[in-house]
Amino acid sequence: MSMDRYYLLGRSGLRVSPLSLGTMTFGKEGTYGGPWGSTEDVSRTLFNRYLDAGGNFVDTADLYTHGSSESLIGKFLEERGDRDRVVLTTKYTYNATRPGDPNAGGNSRKNMLRAVEASLKRLRTDYIDLYLLHTWDRLTPAEEVVRTFDDLVRAGKIRYAGLSDVPSWYAARAQTWAEAHALTPLINLQLQYSLVERSLEHEYAPLAQTLGMGITTWSPLGAGLLSGKYRPSEAGAQGEGRLNSAIGGHQLGLFTERNWRIVSTLEQVSKELGRDMSQVALNWVATQPGVGSVIIGATNPKQLDGNLAALDFRIPAELRRQLDEASAPPVPFPHGMFSNPYQLNLHGNAAVGDKPAGYSQPVFTGAAPRVG
Ligand SMILES: NC(=O)c1ccc[n+]([C@@H]2O[C@H](COP(=O)([O-])OP(=O)(O)OC[C@H]3O[C@@H](n4cnc5c(N)ncnc54)[C@H](OP(=O)(O)O)[C@@H]3O)[C@@H](O)[C@H]2O)c1
């Protein structure tokens, strides 16, 4: 895999880079921009470098840096003049503009229709390639969301739709509803996934493979922890970067003994491979079941260049096993019952294929092949 390859996203004809550019840190405004964000000049350099390296998949949201991320992308795309080559993803849900107005946030039809117009304006485009619900609001029925996505596709405002940060049952309900009513299918689930956060393996990876949704993964480096630049200290951690800023590793619960052990194994494996820890961590995520593209974040060109080379090598089976074991997530009920001895019992001792703990059989037979 490298940056001149493009893969199908979910059960669709849309071809995307296996490394997507995250732009949550484009701009200095708001929660993310304040402690973590990049200036316009740095953001422009990162954006152009990614696209010039062959990348075509860009991720933003109306929430990021109070809309600045979208505004900067709109400006950069206009400067480059190659809007159509880019697969542009943005998201709606958060009430960033009208505090106190219950309908200016959430997943409702009213908010989605408001938000899409605002995003199109900031992005200086008349269509969004992939439009996502950002986070479940616990209120809006899945049917309402799916129906409104379908209306936006028919109106030509978006090309494809998907979901980010929703419960697995909600994603299954939404996709099944879309299929049953011949509405626009959801082709993407955007979720957190890294060596330090592997919860999605139990429900979402088999769900995505079965229902034709490609997973795009956020915080693949655990917000920088897996780059290896942080070291445990009496005060929590030493090291320059986002995790030692105002919203840091403590608040995110990242400086744990378990995570330091994972960092240590990753360091040994990276040394054996002669690769940066970040590259090995990104490569591991990109080659896990169900993953369509890894959303990378970078705050300077050196980080970006290193990360863009993350798919130029393979992790041998034995080293992969070491990473898998060091980072193995706890198995939640009832997933423990989907491996032996329960399965041997259940099948009357007839042979049962051994799968890594937590994975279901790849039952989705209509899966689109990965093509170069
Ligand atoms: N859907 C959602 O809810 C959601 C949530 C979060 C993010 N996202 C998306 O996912 C994207 C990526 O998320 P993320 O930024 O959290 O990803 P990440 O890869 O876990 O962290 C990226 C950060 O790690 C540090 N870093 C990256 N490469 C490095 C390297 N080679 N060496 C040393 N440090 C390095 C940089 O921060 P420092 O330089 O400050 O250390 C960089 O900003 C976002 O931009 C956004 O598009 C989506």
Side-chain angles (χ1 to χ4, degrees), residues 105-157:
N107 302 152
S108 72
R109 180 178 179 85
K110 181 168 170 67
N111 189 42
M112 195 197 300
L113 295 177
R114 174 203 65 76
V116 77
E117 295 300 340
S119 287
L120 287 168
K121 208 165 166 190
R122 282 190 291 268
L123 290 164
R124 304 188 194 188
T125 183
D126 53 11
Y127 71 97
I128 291 158
D129 294 282
L130 178 60
Y131 198 47
L132 305 182
L133 175 157
H134 201 151
T135 304
W136 185 42
D137 68 3
R138 303 179 304 163
L139 301 171
T140 310
E143 301 87 310
E144 180 174 330
V145 170
V146 168
R147 176 76 238 185
T148 313
F149 277 146
D150 189 72
D151 289 342
L152 288 179
V153 168
R154 284 168 207 264
K157 305 217 177 211

Short mmCIF file of all heavy atoms in Angstrom, two decimals, residues 105-157:
data_model
loop_
_atom_site.label_atom_id
_atom_site.label_comp_id
_atom_site.label_asym_id
_atom_site.label_seq_id
_atom_site.Cartn_x
_atom_site.Cartn_y
_atom_site.Cartn_z
N GLY A 105 -28.39 22.32 17.06
CA GLY A 105 -27.46 21.22 17.33
C GLY A 105 -28.25 19.93 17.28
O GLY A 105 -29.47 19.95 17.13
N GLY A 106 -27.55 18.80 17.38
CA GLY A 106 -28.23 17.51 17.36
C GLY A 106 -28.31 16.94 15.96
O GLY A 106 -27.79 17.50 15.00
N ASN A 107 -28.96 15.77 15.88
CA ASN A 107 -28.97 15.00 14.64
C ASN A 107 -30.22 15.21 13.78
O ASN A 107 -30.41 14.55 12.77
CB ASN A 107 -28.86 13.50 14.95
CG ASN A 107 -27.63 13.12 15.75
OD1 ASN A 107 -27.64 12.15 16.49
ND2 ASN A 107 -26.55 13.88 15.61
N SER A 108 -31.10 16.13 14.20
CA SER A 108 -32.42 16.23 13.55
C SER A 108 -32.33 16.68 12.09
O SER A 108 -31.32 17.22 11.64
CB SER A 108 -33.28 17.25 14.29
OG SER A 108 -32.78 18.56 14.04
N ARG A 109 -33.42 16.46 11.38
CA ARG A 109 -33.54 16.92 9.99
C ARG A 109 -33.32 18.43 9.91
O ARG A 109 -32.59 18.93 9.07
CB ARG A 109 -34.94 16.55 9.49
CG ARG A 109 -35.23 16.97 8.07
CD ARG A 109 -36.64 16.49 7.67
NE ARG A 109 -36.96 16.89 6.32
CZ ARG A 109 -36.62 16.20 5.23
NH1 ARG A 109 -35.95 15.08 5.33
NH2 ARG A 109 -36.96 16.64 4.03
N LYS A 110 -33.95 19.16 10.85
CA LYS A 110 -33.83 20.62 10.82
C LYS A 110 -32.38 21.05 10.96
O LYS A 110 -31.88 21.89 10.21
CB LYS A 110 -34.68 21.23 11.95
CG LYS A 110 -34.64 22.76 11.99
CD LYS A 110 -35.71 23.31 12.93
CE LYS A 110 -35.56 24.81 13.19
NZ LYS A 110 -35.82 25.64 12.01
N ASN A 111 -31.67 20.44 11.90
CA ASN A 111 -30.27 20.85 12.09
C ASN A 111 -29.39 20.39 10.93
O ASN A 111 -28.48 21.10 10.51
CB ASN A 111 -29.71 20.33 13.42
CG ASN A 111 -28.35 20.94 13.71
OD1 ASN A 111 -28.15 22.15 13.49
ND2 ASN A 111 -27.41 20.15 14.15
N MET A 112 -29.66 19.18 10.40
CA MET A 112 -28.82 18.71 9.29
C MET A 112 -28.96 19.66 8.08
O MET A 112 -27.97 20.03 7.45
CB MET A 112 -29.20 17.28 8.88
CG MET A 112 -28.12 16.66 8.00
SD MET A 112 -28.57 15.19 7.05
CE MET A 112 -29.07 14.00 8.25
N LEU A 113 -30.19 20.07 7.80
CA LEU A 113 -30.41 20.93 6.63
C LEU A 113 -29.79 22.32 6.85
O LEU A 113 -29.25 22.93 5.92
CB LEU A 113 -31.90 21.03 6.31
CG LEU A 113 -32.53 19.71 5.86
CD1 LEU A 113 -34.03 19.85 5.63
CD2 LEU A 113 -31.86 19.17 4.59
N ARG A 114 -29.83 22.80 8.10
CA ARG A 114 -29.16 24.08 8.41
C ARG A 114 -27.65 23.93 8.27
O ARG A 114 -26.97 24.71 7.61
CB ARG A 114 -29.50 24.49 9.85
CG ARG A 114 -28.76 25.73 10.33
CD ARG A 114 -28.64 25.81 11.84
NE ARG A 114 -27.83 24.76 12.42
CZ ARG A 114 -26.49 24.74 12.39
NH1 ARG A 114 -25.81 25.72 11.81
NH2 ARG A 114 -25.82 23.74 12.92
N ALA A 115 -27.13 22.85 8.85
CA ALA A 115 -25.68 22.67 8.92
C ALA A 115 -25.06 22.45 7.54
O ALA A 115 -23.97 22.97 7.26
CB ALA A 115 -25.35 21.49 9.84
N VAL A 116 -25.75 21.70 6.69
CA VAL A 116 -25.15 21.40 5.39
C VAL A 116 -24.97 22.68 4.58
O VAL A 116 -23.94 22.87 3.89
CB VAL A 116 -25.94 20.31 4.62
CG1 VAL A 116 -27.20 20.87 4.00
CG2 VAL A 116 -25.07 19.64 3.58
N GLU A 117 -25.95 23.58 4.67
CA GLU A 117 -25.83 24.84 3.91
C GLU A 117 -24.66 25.66 4.43
O GLU A 117 -23.90 26.26 3.65
CB GLU A 117 -27.13 25.66 4.02
CG GLU A 117 -28.35 25.01 3.38
CD GLU A 117 -28.20 24.75 1.88
OE1 GLU A 117 -27.34 25.38 1.23
OE2 GLU A 117 -28.95 23.89 1.37
N ALA A 118 -24.49 25.70 5.76
CA ALA A 118 -23.38 26.47 6.34
C ALA A 118 -22.03 25.87 5.94
O ALA A 118 -21.08 26.59 5.62
CB ALA A 118 -23.53 26.51 7.85
N SER A 119 -21.95 24.53 5.93
CA SER A 119 -20.69 23.89 5.54
C SER A 119 -20.37 24.14 4.07
O SER A 119 -19.22 24.43 3.72
CB SER A 119 -20.75 22.37 5.79
OG SER A 119 -20.69 22.12 7.18
N LEU A 120 -21.36 24.03 3.22
CA LEU A 120 -21.13 24.26 1.78
C LEU A 120 -20.57 25.67 1.56
O LEU A 120 -19.66 25.87 0.74
CB LEU A 120 -22.43 24.08 0.99
CG LEU A 120 -22.91 22.64 0.83
CD1 LEU A 120 -24.34 22.59 0.29
CD2 LEU A 120 -21.98 21.86 -0.10
N LYS A 121 -21.11 26.62 2.31
CA LYS A 121 -20.67 28.02 2.16
C LYS A 121 -19.21 28.16 2.58
O LYS A 121 -18.38 28.72 1.87
CB LYS A 121 -21.57 28.89 3.05
CG LYS A 121 -21.73 30.29 2.55
CD LYS A 121 -22.91 30.91 3.28
CE LYS A 121 -22.90 32.39 3.09
NZ LYS A 121 -23.87 33.02 3.97
N ARG A 122 -18.90 27.60 3.78
CA ARG A 122 -17.51 27.73 4.27
C ARG A 122 -16.54 26.98 3.36
O ARG A 122 -15.41 27.42 3.14
CB ARG A 122 -17.40 27.19 5.70
CG ARG A 122 -17.92 28.14 6.76
CD ARG A 122 -17.56 27.64 8.15
NE ARG A 122 -18.28 26.45 8.50
CZ ARG A 122 -19.45 26.44 9.15
NH1 ARG A 122 -20.00 27.58 9.54
NH2 ARG A 122 -20.06 25.30 9.43
N LEU A 123 -16.97 25.83 2.84
CA LEU A 123 -16.08 25.01 2.00
C LEU A 123 -15.99 25.52 0.56
O LEU A 123 -15.24 24.97 -0.25
CB LEU A 123 -16.56 23.55 2.01
CG LEU A 123 -16.37 22.81 3.33
CD1 LEU A 123 -17.21 21.54 3.39
CD2 LEU A 123 -14.89 22.47 3.55
N ARG A 124 -16.79 26.55 0.24
CA ARG A 124 -16.79 27.16 -1.11
C ARG A 124 -17.00 26.12 -2.20
O ARG A 124 -16.28 26.06 -3.20
CB ARG A 124 -15.47 27.90 -1.38
CG ARG A 124 -15.14 28.95 -0.33
CD ARG A 124 -13.94 29.78 -0.73
NE ARG A 124 -13.45 30.53 0.40
CZ ARG A 124 -12.51 31.45 0.32
NH1 ARG A 124 -11.96 31.76 -0.83
NH2 ARG A 124 -12.09 32.09 1.41
N THR A 125 -17.98 25.27 -1.98
CA THR A 125 -18.27 24.21 -2.96
C THR A 125 -19.78 24.03 -3.03
O THR A 125 -20.50 24.49 -2.14
CB THR A 125 -17.58 22.89 -2.55
OG1 THR A 125 -17.83 21.90 -3.55
CG2 THR A 125 -18.08 22.36 -1.22
N ASP A 126 -20.26 23.36 -4.09
CA ASP A 126 -21.70 23.10 -4.13
C ASP A 126 -22.03 21.64 -3.82
O ASP A 126 -23.18 21.24 -3.93
CB ASP A 126 -22.34 23.58 -5.45
CG ASP A 126 -21.64 23.02 -6.67
OD1 ASP A 126 -20.80 22.12 -6.50
OD2 ASP A 126 -21.93 23.49 -7.78
N TYR A 127 -21.02 20.84 -3.45
CA TYR A 127 -21.33 19.48 -2.99
C TYR A 127 -20.28 18.99 -2.01
O TYR A 127 -19.12 19.39 -2.04
CB TYR A 127 -21.45 18.50 -4.17
CG TYR A 127 -20.14 18.18 -4.83
CD1 TYR A 127 -19.43 17.02 -4.50
CD2 TYR A 127 -19.59 19.03 -5.79
CE1 TYR A 127 -18.22 16.72 -5.10
CE2 TYR A 127 -18.37 18.74 -6.39
CZ TYR A 127 -17.70 17.59 -6.05
OH TYR A 127 -16.49 17.31 -6.64
N ILE A 128 -20.73 18.09 -1.13
CA ILE A 128 -19.84 17.42 -0.17
C ILE A 128 -19.80 15.95 -0.59
O ILE A 128 -20.84 15.36 -0.89
CB ILE A 128 -20.41 17.57 1.26
CG1 ILE A 128 -20.30 19.02 1.72
CG2 ILE A 128 -19.73 16.62 2.24
CD1 ILE A 128 -21.26 19.39 2.83
N ASP A 129 -18.61 15.37 -0.62
CA ASP A 129 -18.52 13.98 -1.08
C ASP A 129 -19.07 13.00 -0.05
O ASP A 129 -19.78 12.07 -0.40
CB ASP A 129 -17.07 13.63 -1.40
CG ASP A 129 -16.58 14.44 -2.59
OD1 ASP A 129 -16.93 14.08 -3.72
OD2 ASP A 129 -15.91 15.46 -2.37
N LEU A 130 -18.68 13.20 1.20
CA LEU A 130 -19.11 12.26 2.25
C LEU A 130 -19.59 13.09 3.44
O LEU A 130 -18.80 13.84 4.04
CB LEU A 130 -17.93 11.37 2.64
CG LEU A 130 -18.17 10.35 3.77
CD1 LEU A 130 -19.29 9.39 3.41
CD2 LEU A 130 -16.88 9.57 4.05
N TYR A 131 -20.88 12.96 3.77
CA TYR A 131 -21.45 13.77 4.85
C TYR A 131 -21.79 12.84 6.02
O TYR A 131 -22.47 11.83 5.83
CB TYR A 131 -22.70 14.49 4.35
CG TYR A 131 -23.10 15.66 5.22
CD1 TYR A 131 -22.15 16.59 5.64
CD2 TYR A 131 -24.43 15.86 5.59
CE1 TYR A 131 -22.51 17.68 6.42
CE2 TYR A 131 -24.80 16.96 6.37
CZ TYR A 131 -23.83 17.86 6.78
OH TYR A 131 -24.19 18.93 7.55
N LEU A 132 -21.30 13.19 7.20
CA LEU A 132 -21.45 12.31 8.36
C LEU A 132 -22.22 12.97 9.50
O LEU A 132 -22.02 14.16 9.78
CB LEU A 132 -20.07 11.92 8.92
CG LEU A 132 -19.05 11.29 7.98
CD1 LEU A 132 -17.79 10.93 8.75
CD2 LEU A 132 -19.62 10.06 7.30
N LEU A 133 -23.01 12.17 10.15
CA LEU A 133 -23.51 12.53 11.48
C LEU A 133 -22.30 12.42 12.41
O LEU A 133 -21.62 11.40 12.38
CB LEU A 133 -24.61 11.54 11.85
CG LEU A 133 -25.25 11.60 13.23
CD1 LEU A 133 -26.64 10.96 13.17
CD2 LEU A 133 -24.42 10.88 14.29
N HIS A 134 -22.02 13.46 13.18
CA HIS A 134 -20.76 13.49 13.95
C HIS A 134 -20.85 12.63 15.22
O HIS A 134 -19.95 11.83 15.49
CB HIS A 134 -20.42 14.94 14.31
CG HIS A 134 -18.97 15.17 14.65
ND1 HIS A 134 -18.34 16.37 14.43
CD2 HIS A 134 -18.03 14.36 15.18
CE1 HIS A 134 -17.07 16.27 14.83
NE2 HIS A 134 -16.86 15.06 15.29
N THR A 135 -21.89 12.83 16.00
CA THR A 135 -22.04 12.11 17.27
C THR A 135 -23.53 11.90 17.55
O THR A 135 -24.33 12.82 17.34
CB THR A 135 -21.43 12.93 18.43
OG1 THR A 135 -20.06 13.22 18.13
CG2 THR A 135 -21.49 12.17 19.75
N TRP A 136 -23.87 10.74 18.01
CA TRP A 136 -25.27 10.41 18.33
C TRP A 136 -25.81 11.39 19.37
O TRP A 136 -25.13 11.65 20.38
CB TRP A 136 -25.32 8.98 18.88
CG TRP A 136 -26.69 8.46 19.14
CD1 TRP A 136 -27.79 8.60 18.36
CD2 TRP A 136 -27.09 7.66 20.26
NE1 TRP A 136 -28.86 7.95 18.91
CE2 TRP A 136 -28.47 7.36 20.08
CE3 TRP A 136 -26.43 7.16 21.38
CZ2 TRP A 136 -29.19 6.60 20.99
CZ3 TRP A 136 -27.15 6.39 22.28
CH2 TRP A 136 -28.51 6.12 22.09
N ASP A 137 -27.04 11.90 19.15
CA ASP A 137 -27.62 12.86 20.12
C ASP A 137 -28.58 12.18 21.11
O ASP A 137 -29.17 12.86 21.94
CB ASP A 137 -28.33 14.02 19.38
CG ASP A 137 -29.58 13.57 18.64
OD1 ASP A 137 -29.97 12.38 18.71
OD2 ASP A 137 -30.20 14.43 17.97
N ARG A 138 -28.77 10.88 21.02
CA ARG A 138 -29.62 10.07 21.90
C ARG A 138 -31.10 10.37 21.73
O ARG A 138 -31.92 9.89 22.49
CB ARG A 138 -29.24 10.25 23.39
CG ARG A 138 -27.79 9.94 23.69
CD ARG A 138 -27.48 10.16 25.15
NE ARG A 138 -27.82 11.51 25.53
CZ ARG A 138 -27.98 11.91 26.79
NH1 ARG A 138 -27.85 11.06 27.77
NH2 ARG A 138 -28.28 13.16 27.07
N LEU A 139 -31.48 11.20 20.75
CA LEU A 139 -32.86 11.64 20.59
C LEU A 139 -33.46 11.32 19.23
O LEU A 139 -34.56 10.80 19.12
CB LEU A 139 -32.95 13.17 20.79
CG LEU A 139 -32.47 13.74 22.12
CD1 LEU A 139 -32.42 15.26 22.04
CD2 LEU A 139 -33.37 13.30 23.25
N THR A 140 -32.73 11.65 18.18
CA THR A 140 -33.32 11.62 16.83
C THR A 140 -33.41 10.19 16.31
O THR A 140 -32.41 9.46 16.33
CB THR A 140 -32.45 12.45 15.86
OG1 THR A 140 -32.22 13.73 16.45
CG2 THR A 140 -33.14 12.63 14.52
N PRO A 141 -34.58 9.80 15.80
CA PRO A 141 -34.70 8.44 15.25
C PRO A 141 -33.77 8.25 14.05
O PRO A 141 -33.58 9.18 13.24
CB PRO A 141 -36.16 8.36 14.80
CG PRO A 141 -36.86 9.49 15.47
CD PRO A 141 -35.84 10.55 15.75
N ALA A 142 -33.21 7.05 13.93
CA ALA A 142 -32.31 6.75 12.80
C ALA A 142 -33.04 6.96 11.47
O ALA A 142 -32.45 7.41 10.49
CB ALA A 142 -31.82 5.31 12.91
N GLU A 143 -34.35 6.67 11.43
CA GLU A 143 -35.11 6.81 10.19
C GLU A 143 -35.08 8.26 9.69
O GLU A 143 -34.99 8.51 8.48
CB GLU A 143 -36.59 6.41 10.41
CG GLU A 143 -36.80 4.99 10.91
CD GLU A 143 -36.74 4.88 12.43
OE1 GLU A 143 -35.76 5.38 13.03
OE2 GLU A 143 -37.65 4.30 13.03
N GLU A 144 -35.15 9.20 10.63
CA GLU A 144 -35.15 10.62 10.25
C GLU A 144 -33.80 11.01 9.63
O GLU A 144 -33.73 11.74 8.64
CB GLU A 144 -35.44 11.48 11.50
CG GLU A 144 -35.48 12.96 11.24
CD GLU A 144 -35.92 13.76 12.47
OE1 GLU A 144 -36.71 13.24 13.28
OE2 GLU A 144 -35.48 14.92 12.60
N VAL A 145 -32.74 10.50 10.21
CA VAL A 145 -31.39 10.83 9.72
C VAL A 145 -31.18 10.24 8.32
O VAL A 145 -30.73 10.93 7.40
CB VAL A 145 -30.33 10.28 10.71
CG1 VAL A 145 -28.93 10.38 10.14
CG2 VAL A 145 -30.42 11.03 12.04
N VAL A 146 -31.55 8.97 8.16
CA VAL A 146 -31.33 8.28 6.88
C VAL A 146 -32.16 8.93 5.78
O VAL A 146 -31.69 9.14 4.65
CB VAL A 146 -31.69 6.78 7.05
CG1 VAL A 146 -31.77 6.08 5.72
CG2 VAL A 146 -30.66 6.10 7.95
N ARG A 147 -33.39 9.29 6.10
CA ARG A 147 -34.27 9.92 5.12
C ARG A 147 -33.71 11.28 4.68
O ARG A 147 -33.73 11.64 3.50
CB ARG A 147 -35.66 10.09 5.78
CG ARG A 147 -36.70 10.80 4.98
CD ARG A 147 -37.25 9.90 3.91
NE ARG A 147 -37.05 10.56 2.64
CZ ARG A 147 -37.50 10.08 1.49
NH1 ARG A 147 -38.14 8.95 1.44
NH2 ARG A 147 -37.30 10.74 0.38
N THR A 148 -33.16 12.03 5.63
CA THR A 148 -32.64 13.37 5.30
C THR A 148 -31.35 13.24 4.48
O THR A 148 -31.13 14.01 3.54
CB THR A 148 -32.43 14.22 6.57
OG1 THR A 148 -33.60 14.11 7.39
CG2 THR A 148 -32.22 15.67 6.24
N PHE A 149 -30.49 12.26 4.83
CA PHE A 149 -29.31 12.01 3.99
C PHE A 149 -29.75 11.74 2.55
O PHE A 149 -29.17 12.24 1.59
CB PHE A 149 -28.53 10.78 4.48
CG PHE A 149 -27.57 11.05 5.63
CD1 PHE A 149 -27.35 10.09 6.61
CD2 PHE A 149 -26.83 12.23 5.70
CE1 PHE A 149 -26.44 10.31 7.64
CE2 PHE A 149 -25.92 12.45 6.73
CZ PHE A 149 -25.73 11.49 7.71
N ASP A 150 -30.78 10.90 2.42
CA ASP A 150 -31.27 10.54 1.08
C ASP A 150 -31.75 11.78 0.32
O ASP A 150 -31.45 11.95 -0.86
CB ASP A 150 -32.39 9.51 1.23
CG ASP A 150 -32.80 8.93 -0.11
OD1 ASP A 150 -32.01 8.15 -0.67
OD2 ASP A 150 -33.89 9.28 -0.61
N ASP A 151 -32.45 12.65 1.02
CA ASP A 151 -32.92 13.89 0.37
C ASP A 151 -31.74 14.73 -0.10
O ASP A 151 -31.78 15.33 -1.18
CB ASP A 151 -33.76 14.72 1.36
CG ASP A 151 -35.12 14.07 1.64
OD1 ASP A 151 -35.55 13.21 0.84
OD2 ASP A 151 -35.74 14.43 2.66
N LEU A 152 -30.67 14.78 0.71
CA LEU A 152 -29.51 15.60 0.34
C LEU A 152 -28.78 15.01 -0.87
O LEU A 152 -28.26 15.74 -1.71
CB LEU A 152 -28.55 15.74 1.53
CG LEU A 152 -29.04 16.65 2.67
CD1 LEU A 152 -28.02 16.69 3.80
CD2 LEU A 152 -29.31 18.06 2.16
N VAL A 153 -28.74 13.67 -0.95
CA VAL A 153 -28.13 13.05 -2.13
C VAL A 153 -28.95 13.40 -3.37
O VAL A 153 -28.42 13.83 -4.40
CB VAL A 153 -28.03 11.51 -1.95
CG1 VAL A 153 -27.67 10.83 -3.27
CG2 VAL A 153 -27.00 11.17 -0.88
N ARG A 154 -30.27 13.25 -3.25
CA ARG A 154 -31.13 13.54 -4.40
C ARG A 154 -31.07 15.01 -4.80
O ARG A 154 -31.20 15.35 -5.97
CB ARG A 154 -32.59 13.16 -4.10
CG ARG A 154 -32.79 11.65 -4.16
CD ARG A 154 -34.14 11.24 -3.59
NE ARG A 154 -34.07 9.88 -3.07
CZ ARG A 154 -34.44 8.80 -3.74
NH1 ARG A 154 -34.92 8.90 -4.94
NH2 ARG A 154 -34.34 7.60 -3.21
N ALA A 155 -30.83 15.89 -3.82
CA ALA A 155 -30.74 17.33 -4.13
C ALA A 155 -29.35 17.71 -4.67
O ALA A 155 -29.11 18.86 -5.02
CB ALA A 155 -31.04 18.13 -2.86
N GLY A 156 -28.43 16.73 -4.70
CA GLY A 156 -27.10 16.99 -5.25
C GLY A 156 -26.17 17.70 -4.28
O GLY A 156 -25.08 18.14 -4.66
N LYS A 157 -26.56 17.80 -3.02
CA LYS A 157 -25.71 18.54 -2.05
C LYS A 157 -24.64 17.63 -1.45
O LYS A 157 -23.61 18.12 -1.02
CB LYS A 157 -26.57 19.13 -0.95
CG LYS A 157 -27.67 20.00 -1.52
CD LYS A 157 -27.98 21.21 -0.71
CE LYS A 157 -29.04 22.02 -1.45
NZ LYS A 157 -28.95 23.43 -1.24
#
